[in-house]
Amino acid sequence: MKNYNLIIVFSILSFLSVKAQNKETNYKKKVLDQTEMKLLSSYYSQDGENASVSGGIGSEELTDIASTIVVAIPLNDDDILTIDGSISAYTSASSSNINPFDGNQPADPFVASSGASRQDVWSNVVVSYTHSSDDRNFNWTGNVSFANEYDYTSIGFGGSVSKLFNQKNTEIGLKANVFLDQWSPQYPIELRNGLGKNLLPKDDGGKFNLSNYIIEGNQEYNISFTNFDNLNRNSYSLGISFSQILSKKVQTLFLADFIFQDGLLSTPHQRIYFGDIEDSFIENFQLANDIERLPDTRTKIAIGNRTNFYINENLVIRSFYRFYTDDWGINSHTAKIETPIKIGDFFTIYPMYRFYTQNKADDFYLYNQALSTAKYYTSDYDLASYDAHQYGLGFKYYDPLGKFNLSYLKLKSIELEFNAYERSQFNYTANIFSLGFNFTLEK
């Protein structure tokens, strides 16, 4: 679940990003002349056969419909209040199998259960305040956020500062954020005997009992399971950026991000199967030997570069590269190229390609290969070694004069984007369609 959330969130941020160029004038220009509103909707689907909820085997089929609204309100010449709200509703075959025995068909990791955990809603809101200096060479932003899903709640706060100098050809930025999360664990159903009815899912009424089922294979299924004591997860991030206009046709930006996490970094509903213990089954579903257990700290470092090349008035090449490393043993490389092509005065198309590669985490094990003697283990294939390719095509209509109006809303732009994603080593694919509108609010 965290993988697709991550994909959706990054797609929305990329889709809504706006690049602006300040021009020196003889008067103090407002940072934002009118209230702006952006509307974005997206449809995301994925499929695969290495579901982490069922220990690295099973359907990863998932669909998600998300909507985002961003309203930027100029408070005066220098200050802007921005409210960013998102909501997404998903249906997941993988998460449905937290309890695979609550459906009307035999339990099977490749078949979605019909219980309540098959679907949920994720919601998020971010409120930020931005102030710019009179000469527009310095600005700062503060933000607070709240997010909620069926198994966790998160609050966050942070801020950023940026400074322009060298006749606005150079910019240095600094940002920091803190996220404080609280898990509401949804352990695999077969491990909950003895943990108390308060941990049983809402849809089973506290009636699940292993003794009511026929266990095949290892019939001496008697797991000594312990739940997590610490249910907090904290994330602290620091980002540094340096941008430089090298010439009339080349602009570059260097980025560095440092993230430290502590607390419950394991996902409580992701099963583990031990290769040195005989397997136990109910119907077609293998019973968990344990849940994912990972270190309670993680340090991440990423450095990257974005460079834009202006070829002519109709063509720009945008390139991106990032190197990532963490103390869980993952090193990754990301490369992306995007080529906006202007067609006429109002239309732009932008094909894009992204390549990603990573090695596996130290504690990753393929399905049914973890050992009961290990301290840490996971079969989350997001932590496996793989290469990934993403192909995209976008279309933008831009109307600076706002010829099309909807009551008090004047249309500035429309964007339509499609991306297809695949992993080379595994049968995993994903697609996302995004549609966005940018309006100004007429007084």
Side-chain angles (χ1 to χ4, degrees):
M1 286 176 287
K2 59 179 178 291
N3 179 54
Y4 88 84
N5 281 333
L6 284 175
I7 295 176
I8 294 173
V9 170
F10 284 127
S11 297
I12 290 175
L13 289 175
S14 173
F15 195 85
L16 291 177
S17 64
V18 177
K19 295 180 176 64
Q21 180 179 2
N22 293 325
K23 296 182 179 179
E24 299 226 22
T25 59
N26 295 325
Y27 63 93
K28 180 179 177 180
K29 185 178 179 181
K30 291 183 177 180
V31 177
L32 184 66
D33 290 327
Q34 297 172 308
T35 297
E36 292 190 355
M37 181 172 66
K38 300 173 186 177
L39 302 176
L40 173 68
S41 61
S42 65
Y43 173 80
Y44 172 84
S45 64
Q46 71 173 46
D47 201 1
E49 53 190 28
N50 300 108
S52 53
V53 173
S54 44
I57 187 172
S59 174
E60 297 178 85
E61 184 178 1
L62 178 147
T63 58
D64 179 277
I65 298 176
S67 298
T68 296
I69 180 170
V70 181
V71 180
I73 305 170
L75 303 179
N76 51 49
D77 290 351
D78 305 322
D79 301 304
I80 300 173
L81 177 68
T82 303
I83 303 171
D84 182 342
S86 301
I87 187 168
S88 70
Y90 69 84
T91 301
S92 168
S94 176
S95 65
S96 74
N97 282 325
I98 294 174
N99 181 4
F101 310 109
D102 58 358
N104 298 320
Q105 69 286 322
D108 190 306
F110 289 97
V111 177
S113 175
S114 57
S117 58
R118 74 187 186 279
Q119 59 188 9
D120 197 59
V121 174
W122 173 81
S123 57
N124 178 67
V125 63
V126 181
V127 179
S128 61
Y129 181 92
T130 301
H131 173 78
S132 297
S133 62
D134 287 341
D135 60 7
R136 304 298 183 247
N137 287 329
F138 178 80
N139 69 70
W140 60 264
T141 298
N143 66 79
V144 294
S145 64
F146 175 81
N148 184 71
E149 200 176 355
Y150 82 102
D151 61 347
Y152 86 97
T153 301
S154 175
I155 59 172
F157 54 90
S160 65
V161 294
S162 63
K163 174 67 176 178
L164 283 161
F165 53 96
N166 188 25
Q167 297 182 334
K168 301 185 184 298
N169 289 315
T170 305
E171 182 176 3
I172 294 178
L174 180 69
K175 63 178 181 179
N177 286 283
V178 175
F179 295 97
L180 306 176
D181 304 342
Q182 179 75 28
W183 282 96
S184 176
Q186 307 294 308
Y187 299 109
I189 188 64
E190 67 268 31
L191 299 178
R192 301 183 193 182
N193 286 358
L195 288 182
K197 291 185 178 180
N198 60 314
L199 292 178
L200 291 171
K202 296 177 181 178
D203 56 305
D204 78 352
K207 297 179 181 179
F208 179 83
N209 193 321
L210 282 173
S211 62
N212 295 332
Y213 294 85
I214 298 175
I215 298 178
E216 299 178 355
N218 179 14
Q219 298 179 8
E220 301 299 321
Y221 182 76
N222 185 18
I223 299 300
S224 178
F225 170 73
T226 57
N227 57 306
F228 292 112
D229 294 326
N230 179 16
L231 302 181
N232 298 318
R233 176 183 60 192
N234 305 319
S235 302
Y236 312 90
S237 67
L238 177 67
I240 302 172
S241 63
F242 173 82
S243 68
Q244 178 66 47
I245 297 176
L246 301 177
S247 69
K248 292 182 179 180
K249 294 192 174 184
V250 182
Q251 181 177 2
T252 191
L253 169 67
F254 294 93
L255 303 163
D257 291 291
F258 308 89
I259 300 173
F260 176 75
Q261 294 179 294
D262 66 0
L264 179 51
L265 305 185
S266 306
T267 304
H269 53 255
Q270 296 187 169
R271 291 176 174 85
I272 286 291
Y273 302 123
F274 293 138
D276 55 348
I277 294 179
E278 185 181 354
D279 300 335
S280 299
F281 292 84
I282 292 179
E283 297 168 348
N284 299 320
F285 201 92
Q286 186 174 348
L287 302 179
N289 296 130
D290 198 1
I291 57 174
E292 172 184 88
R293 299 196 185 265
L294 291 167
D296 57 6
T297 63
R298 188 179 188 183
T299 301
K300 307 177 183 180
I301 300 174
I303 56 175
N305 173 262
R306 298 181 186 272
T307 300
N308 297 338
F309 303 90
Y310 176 84
I311 306 303
N312 54 47
E313 63 180 7
N314 295 318
L315 177 62
V316 176
I317 297 176
R318 297 173 180 167
S319 65
F320 172 75
Y321 170 77
R322 185 188 71 167
F323 170 74
Y324 165 92
T325 186
D326 64 30
D327 59 357
W328 284 10
I330 293 180
N331 295 311
S332 73
H333 301 269
T334 304
K336 181 179 179 181
I337 186 168
E338 180 180 312
T339 56
I341 304 169
K342 189 175 180 180
I343 302 175
D345 294 331
F346 305 110
F347 301 96
T348 301
I349 61 172
Y350 47 98
M352 66 196 82
Y353 169 72
R354 177 182 180 269
F355 173 75
Y356 176 83
T357 182
Q358 73 172 40
N359 62 288
K360 77 177 187 68
D362 295 335
D363 303 307
F364 171 79
Y365 295 88
L366 296 172
Y367 161 71
N368 219 19
Q369 291 189 9
L371 299 177
S372 60
T373 55
K375 182 178 181 180
Y376 301 118
Y377 32 73
T378 178
S379 291
D380 184 345
Y381 278 62
D382 289 343
L383 302 180
S385 176
Y386 66 86
D387 299 333
H389 305 270
Q390 182 172 319
Y391 310 88
L393 181 65
F395 172 85
K396 180 176 181 179
Y397 168 78
Y398 176 65
D399 181 11
L401 300 178
K403 296 179 180 179
F404 298 100
N405 296 333
L406 180 63
S407 186
Y408 293 100
L409 299 177
K410 178 180 288 188
L411 179 67
K412 289 184 62 177
S413 64
I414 302 174
E415 287 192 60
L416 176 65
E417 188 174 303
F418 169 75
N419 281 276
Y421 174 90
E422 63 180 13
R423 292 181 181 174
S424 301
Q425 284 77 359
F426 309 110
N427 185 24
Y428 179 94
T429 59
N431 298 291
I432 182 169
F433 296 87
S434 300
L435 176 64
F437 299 88
N438 188 3
F439 298 95
T440 58
L441 182 61
E442 295 295 301
K443 296 180 180 180

